Amino acid sequence: MTQFWVGGYGADMGGDATGIGLLEGDEGREPTTLAYRGAVADAASPSWLARHPSHDVVYAALEGAGHVRAYRRSGERTLTPIGRFVEAGAAVCHLAVAPNGAYLIASCYGDGRIVRIGLDAAGGLLAPSISDAATDPYSPDSPDAGDFTGGVQLTEQLALFRQFEADAAAEATAESDLLSAAMASAGFAEPAWEAAGRAAGAAEAAESVAEPEPAASTRTSHAHAAAFLADGRIATTDLGFDLVRIWRVSTSSGALLLDHEIVLPFGVGPRHMVVHPSGHLHVLTEYSGEVFTLAAGADGRWGIVSATPVSPAVQVGVDFAAGLSRSRDGATLYAGVRGSNTIAALRVRGAGEIVEPFALAESGVDWPRHHLVHDGALLVAGQRSNDISVLDLDERTGAPRGIRHRAQAPAPTSILLA
């Protein structure tokens, strides 16, 4: 029997979940037998779940309450709370547990907090420690205004990115036109849907390049995720301030100390990320629908090495990217896109620094909040459709091939292998 813990939104977040749920299916036949068995632990909106690396302990971000709580498996289908909850911050939405199991990092969307919570020898929660707050690098009052990683002026960096986007859009249009002309000369008629898609993509690319920047004065810090890097440091995203922040751990107190920050283009909204086996960090942006790939330089400072849209079909302002995952070997990335309710597949090449979109598929759910790669399939949590879909993945290319199965689940927002 294969089992998954399911987090979801409860009444305090506008959903119907009553706690941490259980999804299970027959061994070897999960794609067609997965079923939701109901709540196995009381919890108010456990919107994100994470596990301890060595104990059978699950941590839940109780988003509406701003709390984090630990649960120990006490039976085949039961989770029991360990101790009391720990206060993290407003709208805590993500948890990442250190590989050595000594602590976890909680990211809080509502107030931008990055919180380190120690873990005892049994996996229980200890006292929280709030890390330094972020400041908006685009604010005129910021001491770092106009500065960028490596000393490059921020305006110059933005101009470079805008030029890169414009060049890429022009190149894609030219290639598409050549292909269309070649098809016509060979006597093949271009399908209407493909022509319409090319036109829409070209218009969207032109619009995104010319899109005015929103006012910096209205921005608010929104911490959203954390990831542990191969060198022992920690990366966190701030969706509101367009930042990826790199932290190191104090050898004396264990507190997080800010090492440096990477400023992304204005308004892209870095949300979720995964670490590639090569050590590169892939960051998904919610608002611009892109994957930014980061790498550490010889001096240890991280910077942007590439950026690519998750799909030419994604529409800025209409679609909102949510979760990012990767295949076991790191050859494929999967990005969930809310709005069009699709899953974009991207191929990773080179030493992990080259990312290229190559497939887009229906997710089978409404508002794909989170997804999980498991045993040749992709499980997708549909927050608004109250279900979880199972998509087959092509064994050779990794592309999503179609919707194999659906299971009802109340407002699912997180899926974790049990």
Side-chain angles (χ1 to χ4, degrees), residues 1 44 144 368 385 394:
M1 186 74 69
D144 299 321
S385 53
D394 188 278

Side-chain angles (χ1 to χ4, degrees), residues 209-275:
V209 171
E211 188 178 64
E213 307 291 4
S217 60
T218 62
R219 288 153 57 93
T220 303
S221 175
H222 294 305
H224 213 290
F228 291 88
L229 305 173
D231 62 10
R233 289 181 291 181
I234 300 142
T236 62
T237 55
D238 193 304
L239 190 151
F241 285 166
D242 299 310
L243 289 172
V244 175
R245 310 176 78 196
I246 306 297
W247 307 81
R248 51 189 172 84
V249 180
S250 169
T251 55
S252 57
S253 67
L256 296 187
L257 305 175
L258 184 62
D259 193 281
H260 64 281
E261 298 177 337
I262 303 94
V263 182
L264 271 59
F266 191 100
V268 297
R271 178 183 172 96
H272 200 205
M273 54 191 165
V274 296
V275 178

